[in-house]
Amino acid sequence: VQLQASGGGSVQAGDSLKLSCAASGANLLNFALGWFRQAPGEEREFVSGIRWGSGSTYYKDSVSGRFSISRDRSKNTVYLQMNNVNPEDTAVYYCAAGVGNPRLITTYVDWGRGTLVTVSS
């Protein structure tokens, strides 16, 4: 699966931002699509995931209620709507695809290039 993420930028705390990830090269029916992030000096961490077929969604606790993942089957695109962001959300965000548990980084075998989100206070 080829993945192309976009939508990052610099925003203020409390603002909203929407990331997009366009997927190609495979039938996504049995795939999980996920968003991960990596802050400077930190390990890459799970943010949110969605099962493409069922639409079931999963979130890291600290973003639950602020972030929302969705998919557009007609566009083969997954989105991450980020609301009420804070400086701790600053990171490079990556989208990924794989088969398995959407919460586990080991599920994902295909990764897009990251998109930088910077949140200032």
Side-chain angles (χ1 to χ4, degrees), residues 15-85:
D15 284 351
S16 296
L17 198 63
K18 188 172 185 177
L19 306 183
S20 301
C21 178
S24 61
N27 184 329
L28 298 176
L29 182 62
N30 295 317
F31 277 77
L33 276 290
W35 287 99
F36 288 75
R37 67 187 181 188
Q38 189 166 17
E42 302 290 332
E43 293 189 354
R44 194 170 298 189
E45 65 174 3
F46 170 79
V47 175
S48 183
I50 186 168
R51 292 191 183 276
W52 192 265
S54 68
S56 297
T57 58
Y58 307 83
Y59 297 95
K60 175 182 172 64
D61 286 349
S62 64
V63 308
S64 184
R66 298 190 296 123
F67 291 10
S68 178
I69 192 170
S70 61
R71 73 201 189 307
D72 185 329
R73 289 178 167 178
S74 67
K75 297 181 180 179
N76 263 18
T77 299
V78 62
Y79 303 98
L80 185 68
Q81 177 67 48
M82 305 166 62
N83 296 328
N84 193 23
V85 296

